[in-house]
Each structure stands twice: as structure tokens, then as C-alpha cells.
């Protein structure tokens, strides 16, 4: 397998890793670049779960025959039947689902045991039975096979070299990953590999320079393309000469349609044929899991299992994302400002009363929010990462601080962001900001880990399918980009 920064390749294992977890069978490893190649074993439950859902057993992978595809579909029908429940007009929402083999099968982007909740509209999802059969394993197996196949198609690779944010190097981490999903969707729908050859702001630091990956996503993540395309990728990277600086358009160097987002930029509305059955929510989750596979060096530094042991992170647990700092002062969120922790705790109490959980992991950039947790002890047990949050107490966007060249440590921010996101994703219940792409990624990774959509409450709007924010959302999911 190919390592981030390494030039060699080894045999592929029989299972594909996800979020940095090692393939469980076979497969060599090679490549330099600071140890970013695939090697080593183990992984957190989240990493193992993502590996499982992005796995296709040997012999049924990207070269599957039509007969094997048909068998997989038959297996899917059998799985649906295995989850059979009484289903009728009173238990299957007419708009959101169809009764099939005794079970309510949800239409794209509808969730819930009765398929009555549209994920692009609801801000409170509190099912009595969270672990109903919405999740279908065979679709995940087909997803991995399709991704492996298309990401190995080097001819006519779809190449992106510009991101939103200052100098075209990225906005916040979550927004940047969601931005990449647009070109990725377009490429996948055409059966072509997608890759990025430009510069990434979080990787413009001394750490990435030391491992030969300055400005590269591969400093932290596995390549989006498969090893077969590595030489093509290197040739394309060598041709990139940088982005011409624009004199207008604020801090977005992209074209006007791309800066604006949907509907003017239609790439984010694309649901590939293989994923139409589940919709954009599911497809975007698969994309995030693929693009955020940690390489070995990052996985070792994040050290999620040690962090969980040190914190006393135990299930069941409620994950709370309190986004203050620069997030309160820009875009639509500045209109209502930042709510104090007490507002979040009202919703945490709702979770506690419904599901009997009083352990809370809080991911936040706010020292004030952490101090306020004392007001709710011993009613609740709180845990959080120990880190310096003063850098987030600013009116300046994180991406602008990175671009300023004033000694802002983007590597430190990257590792802290990954830890917070992954710990939120390991939570069983969520109180978050779905206007924040970090919260969206956590929700979707939690769904993949749990194999059902976890109960969640959003403080500022429904899940949004693109890199900006979805505003003025209607009951049918229509939105205005803001």
C-alpha cells in the first residue's frame, strides 16, 4: 500500500483501512515521508467500525462480476427482511418511507423507525429506539468496492488545486473537507479518480515540512487516490505552480459560483447513482470517512485510545460541541451570537431524561464554557481535552490567523481538532451545531460507528450538505446558502 509521502507500494491487504486503522490481513507497507505509510495494527472502536463499513472481503472487491453484484443485492434484501417490523400506514410515514417486507424502508435522507424525519430539516432527532434497521451493511460493502475502483482510474483524473479561504489554501478544517466533497462527487459520478494537488493551510507548518509534506493533505491523511495512481498524482503535483491572487471577492479566491456555493455550484447536489437509495447524508458520510483516513503518523500522534483512557471516556456518553471563538462572529451565526453553556445543558438534560445518561464529553474552544461546567456538577460528570484554548479567543478566523504568518501553530490546532472530532464521533448521543462542519462530520462518523443515526440535537440548524451553511430551510429540505 502507498504511504503519504512515500514513493513505494506494497501488496494490498484483504480489507481496506479507514481513519487510519490497519488492514487486518496481508499487505505490505512502504514509503517514507515521516512514517505516513500504512503499517502497524490496532485502532479505536471508531476506526475499527469505519474499517468495517468500508470493507469488501477478498474476492468481491472492485472487480466484482455482475453475478456477485446481484448476490450482494440479494443479500441486501435479506438484510432488510431480517429487520422486519410491523409496518403500515400508521407506522411508516407516507412521505418518508415505503413499507417493504414488513419494514419501513426510508426514502433518501429520511431517518427514523417510521422514516418520518428529514435529516436536512430536523434539528431534534430523539427516537425511542435509536438502533432500528436504517443501516444496511451491503451498501457499505458496495461503497468501498466502488470507491476503490474509481479511485484507481488514473486516466482523466479529476484534479483540484484550489480551496476556499485565504489564498485558496482552505477555510476551517471541516469546511475544507466538505468543500472537497463537491469535486469528489462529480468525479465519482463520472467513474474517475479525484485528487488534490494544491496547498492546504493546516499543513503549512514546521511539522509537515520536516516530513516532506508541507502544504499537503497527505501530511495527516491517507491519499484519496489509490496506489495505482500515485505516479500520475506526483506528475500532476509537479505541474501546479500556485494560485494567482485575486484583488476582490473577500477571502475567497475561487470563482463567483464556487464562492457562493449551491445552487450556483451544483456539484454538491450530486448524489452518485450507487448512493441515491440513501441520499446525500449517507454519501457525504462515506466521503468524509474516506478522505479523513488518518495516516500512521497522525494516528500515533492523535493516540485516541490513550486519550480516552486518560479522560475516563466511557459509554454511554453524550458528546457536546460548544463552538464559540471566531465561529460566533462570522456568517449567519453572528446574528444570534454564542449561547452560554446553560442553553446546551437544557438539551443535555433532555438526553439524560430520555436515555438515562449523565456522562458528558465537551468539545469546545471556550474557556468560559469549561469553567461553567462546575455549575452542573455533580448532576453531570464532565470530561474534556486538556489544551490551550486562548488562541481561539479572537475576532479573527482561524484560517486568517494561519495565513498571517505570525507564528500560529496550525499543527497543534490540527491535532486538537482531530481529537475533538473523533471523540464526538465516539459519543452515543450528540448536542452540537449542525451549522458547523465539524459537528456534521462528528454526526456522520458516529452514524457509521453505531450503524444507526444517533439521537442528536442541533443548536443552530439542521444538517447541511455543503461546505457553507444551510439557512431558511423549509420542511422539504430546500435551503438558502449563507
Amino acid at each position: 500500500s502507498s504511504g503519504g509521502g512515500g514513493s513505494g507500494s506494497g501488496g494490498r491487504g484483504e480489507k481496506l483501512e479507514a481513519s487510519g486503522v490497519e488492514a487486518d490481513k496481508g499487505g505490505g507497507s512502504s514509503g517514507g515521508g515521516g512514517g505516513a505509510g500504512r503499517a502497524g495494527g490496532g485502532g479505536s472502536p471508531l476506526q475499527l467500525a469505519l474499517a468495517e463499513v468500508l470493507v469488501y472481503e477478498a474476492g468481491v472487491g472492485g472487480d466484482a462480476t455482475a453475478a456477485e453484484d446481484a448476490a450482494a443485492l440479494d443479500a441486501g434484501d435479506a438484510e432488510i427482511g431480517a429487520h422486519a417490523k410491523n409496518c403500515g400506514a400508521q407506522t411508516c410515514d407516507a412521505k418518508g418511507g415505503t413499507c417493504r417486507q414488513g419494514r419501513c424502508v426510508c426514502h433518501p435522507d429520511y431517518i427514523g423507525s417510521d422514516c418520518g424525519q428529514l435529516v436536512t430539516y430536523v434539528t431534534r432527532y430523539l427516537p425511542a429506539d435509536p438502533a432500528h434497521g436504517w443501516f444496511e451493511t451491503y451498501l457499505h460493502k458496495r461503497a468501498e468496492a466502488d470507491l476503490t475502483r474509481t479511485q484507481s482510474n488514473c486516466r482523466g483524473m479529476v484534479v483540484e488545486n484550489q480551496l476556499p479561504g485565504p489564498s485558496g489554501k482552505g477555510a476551517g478544517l471541516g469546511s475544507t473537507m466538505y468543500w472537497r466533497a463537491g469535486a469528489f462527487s462529480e468525479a465519482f459520478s463520472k467513474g474517475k479518480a479525484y485528487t488534490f494537488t494544491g496547498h492546504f493551510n493546516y499543513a503549512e507548518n514546521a511539522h509537515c515540512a520536516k516530513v516532506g509534506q508541507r502544504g499537503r493533505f497527505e501530511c495527516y491523511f491517507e491519499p484519496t487516490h489509490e496506489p495505482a495512481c500515485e505516479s500520475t498524482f506526483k506528475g500532476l503535483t509537479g505541474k501546479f505552480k500556485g494560485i494567482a491572487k485575486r484583488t476582490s471577492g473577500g477571502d475567497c479566491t475561487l470563482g463567483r459560483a464556487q464562492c457562493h456555493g449551491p445552487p450556483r455550484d451544483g456539484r454538491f447536489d450530486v448524489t452518485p447513482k450507487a448512493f441515491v437509495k440513501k441520499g446525500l447524508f449517507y454519501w457525504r458520510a462515506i466521503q468524509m470517512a474516506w478522505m479523513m483516513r488518518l495516516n500512521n503518523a497522525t494516528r500515533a500522534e492523535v493516540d485516541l485510545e490513550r486519550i480516552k483512557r486518560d479522560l475516563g471516556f466511557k459509554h454511554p456518553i453524550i458528546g457536546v460541541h460548544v463552538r464559540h471563538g471566531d465561529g460566533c462572529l462570522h456568517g449567519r451565526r453572528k446574528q444570534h451570537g454564542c449561547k452560554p453553556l446553560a442553553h446546551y445543558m437544557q438539551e443535555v438534560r433532555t438526553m439524560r431524561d430520555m436515555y438515562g445518561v449523565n456522562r458528558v464529553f465537551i468539545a469546545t474552544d471556550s474557556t468560559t464554557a469549561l469553567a461553567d461546567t462546575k455549575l452542573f456538577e455533580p448532576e453531570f460528570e464532565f470530561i474534556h481535552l486538556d489544551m490551550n484554548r486562548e488562541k481561539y479567543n479572537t475576532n479573527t478566523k482561524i484560517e486568517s490567523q494561519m495565513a498571517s504568518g505570525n507564528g500560529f501553530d496550525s499543527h497543534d490546532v490540527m491535532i486538537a481538532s482531530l481529537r475533538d472530532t473523533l471523540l464526538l464521533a465516539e459519543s452515543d448521543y450528540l448536542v452540537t451545531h449542525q451549522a458547523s462542519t465539524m459537528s456534521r462530520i462528528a454526526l456522520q462518523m458516529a452514524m457509521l460507528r453505531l450503524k444507526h443515526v444517533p439521537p442528536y440535537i442541533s443548536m443552530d440548524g439542521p444538517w447541511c450538505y455543503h461546505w457553507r451553511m444551510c439557512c431558511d430551510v423549509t420542511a422539504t429540505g430546500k435551503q438558502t446558502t449563507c
Side-chain angles (χ1 to χ4, degrees):
S1 59
S2 173
S7 58
S9 64
R12 286 180 58 82
E14 291 186 14
K15 292 189 178 182
L16 182 69
E17 65 176 309
S19 282
V21 70
E22 170 66 8
D24 70 339
K25 297 179 184 177
S29 62
S30 65
R38 296 173 184 168
S44 73
L46 172 64
Q47 292 168 335
L48 292 170
L50 291 180
E52 179 182 345
V53 300
L54 289 176
V55 151
Y56 217 169
E57 297 289 354
V60 192
D63 297 324
T65 65
E68 288 167 336
D69 280 345
L73 288 172
D74 289 341
D77 286 340
E79 182 177 0
I80 290 171
H83 290 288
K85 293 183 179 180
N86 291 332
C87 178
Q90 295 181 340
T91 58
C92 191
D93 185 86
K95 293 183 295 184
T98 300
C99 190
R100 182 181 178 193
Q101 297 185 1
R103 174 176 173 264
C104 190
V105 178
C106 295
H107 297 162
D109 293 324
Y110 279 87
I111 58 176
S113 59
D114 66 348
C115 302
Q117 306 289 311
L118 180 61
V119 75
T120 53
Y121 177 67
V122 299
T123 58
R124 300 171 68 84
Y125 177 65
L126 301 169
D129 175 21
H132 65 86
W134 180 86
F135 189 96
E136 294 167 20
T137 304
Y138 83 102
L139 285 179
H140 290 274
K141 291 182 177 181
R142 291 175 63 84
E144 191 276 340
D146 288 341
L147 281 167
T148 301
R149 182 167 52 246
T150 56
Q151 289 303 104
S152 299
N153 183 10
C154 313
R155 297 187 64 181
M157 250 177 139
V158 173
V159 181
E160 193 169 43
N161 55 33
Q162 195 167 352
L163 299 168
S167 304
K169 297 179 181 180
L173 175 60
S175 295
T176 297
M177 301 309 287
Y178 254 64
W179 160 260
R180 297 183 71 196
F184 195 166
S185 292
E186 188 175 52
F188 186 86
S189 295
K190 296 177 180 178
K192 298 179 181 296
Y194 158 79
T195 195
F196 181 84
T197 61
H199 296 289
F200 173 42
N201 54 2
Y202 276 79
E204 292 197 325
N205 54 53
H207 165 81
C208 292
K210 184 177 179 180
V211 299
Q213 293 285 359
R214 190 177 192 280
R216 306 294 311 153
F217 280 99
E218 290 75 20
C219 179
Y220 297 105
F221 305 106
E222 291 287 352
T224 53
H225 58 275
E226 284 292 285
C229 296
E230 184 65 15
S231 61
T232 304
F233 168 74
K234 288 184 176 181
L236 293 168
T237 301
K239 294 179 181 179
F240 177 65
K241 303 302 181 183
I243 298 168
K245 188 173 181 180
R246 290 180 59 182
T247 57
S248 61
D251 64 358
C252 183
T253 62
L254 303 165
R256 288 188 178 181
Q258 293 178 331
C259 287
H260 183 273
R264 293 173 66 179
D265 187 353
R267 297 174 302 167
F268 297 91
D269 296 297
V270 174
T271 306
K273 183 178 179 180
F275 301 92
V276 166
K277 178 178 178 180
K278 283 296 185 186
L280 274 172
F281 179 74
Y282 170 73
W283 165 234
R284 203 68 83 229
I286 292 296
Q287 288 182 292
M288 292 302 111
W290 184 273
M291 289 191 290
M292 294 187 70
R293 294 168 296 154
L294 306 184
N295 63 35
N296 281 350
T298 307
R299 185 178 61 206
E301 186 165 0
V302 169
D303 202 3
L304 198 62
E305 291 307 302
R306 178 189 63 79
I307 293 291
K308 288 168 62 180
R309 288 193 301 271
D310 291 349
L311 291 178
F313 189 104
K314 299 176 183 178
H315 298 283
I317 190 167
I318 302 169
V320 180
H321 182 202
V322 180
R323 180 77 161 91
H324 283 182
D326 66 309
C328 302
L329 303 172
H330 303 281
R332 179 63 69 96
R333 289 193 64 202
K334 69 182 179 182
Q335 295 182 8
H336 57 74
C338 288
K339 295 180 176 70
L341 182 66
H343 286 244
Y344 296 78
M345 295 309 298
Q346 293 174 15
E347 306 295 9
V348 172
R349 285 191 175 109
T350 298
M351 292 285 190
R352 187 231 9 229
D353 294 345
M354 286 196 67
Y355 303 110
V357 182
N358 70 345
R359 186 179 297 111
V360 178
F361 167 70
I362 182 168
T364 184
D365 52 11
S366 170
T367 55
T368 301
L370 284 186
D372 285 349
T373 59
K374 302 298 182 184
L375 301 174
F376 301 93
E377 295 174 339
E379 180 184 3
F380 293 95
E381 173 191 345
F382 293 93
I383 59 174
H384 60 83
L385 288 176
D386 183 16
M387 62 180 179
N388 177 15
R389 291 173 169 81
E390 291 301 325
K391 65 172 71 69
Y392 305 113
N393 185 23
T394 175
N395 295 342
T396 306
K397 291 182 179 180
I398 292 295
E399 55 267 34
S400 297
Q401 294 185 67
M402 292 181 191
S404 69
N406 292 331
F408 189 84
D409 188 352
S410 61
H411 176 68
D412 179 61
V413 175
M414 169 62 95
I415 297 302
S417 297
L418 288 173
R419 284 174 174 162
D420 263 344
T421 303
L422 293 174
L423 288 169
L424 284 172
E426 292 242 3
S427 300
D428 305 292
Y429 312 92
L430 292 167
V431 177
T432 65
H433 303 276
Q434 289 302 305
S436 162
T437 44
M438 176 176 167
S439 282
R440 297 176 212 167
I441 291 170
L443 172 63
Q444 292 178 294
M445 285 190 166
M447 178 270 289
L448 293 178
R449 178 183 66 84
L450 292 165
K451 299 189 177 180
H452 63 258
V453 180
Y456 70 93
I457 296 173
S458 173
M459 302 295 292
D460 55 11
W463 174 81
C464 182
Y465 66 97
H466 55 78
W467 68 281
R468 296 190 63 178
M469 287 189 286
C470 293
C471 298
D472 306 321
V473 182
T474 70
T476 61
K478 292 183 179 180
Q479 58 92 47
T480 300
T481 299
C482 58

